[in-house]
């Protein structure tokens, strides 16, 4: 999943996802990359 927007909003969305699926063990990991390079974005998507 790729979430874009302000860093604080992305972090809040990740925390919400952890809360929602954490009990079922469905959340693996997350990384917030502030201002990623356009080339990196193309490789992710």
């Amino acid at each position: 999943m790729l979430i874009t927007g302000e860093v604080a909003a992305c972090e809040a969305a990740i925390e919400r996802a952890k809360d929602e699926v954490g009990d079922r063990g469905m959340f693996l990991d997350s990384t917030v990359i502030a201002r990623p390079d356009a080339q990196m974005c193309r490789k992710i998507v």
Side-chain angles (χ1 to χ4, degrees):
M1 175 187 295
L2 176 65
I3 302 172
T4 61
E6 293 185 22
V7 172
C10 292
E11 289 173 341
I14 291 168
E15 288 304 313
R16 174 65 189 235
K18 286 179 184 179
D19 291 343
E20 288 295 317
V21 300
D23 293 340
R24 295 178 296 238
M26 297 177 65
F27 190 90
L28 181 61
D29 196 12
S30 65
T31 300
V32 175
I33 304 170
R35 298 185 187 153
D37 182 79
Q39 186 177 9
M40 180 183 287
C41 289
R42 284 191 298 273
K43 290 188 181 274
I44 292 171
V45 178

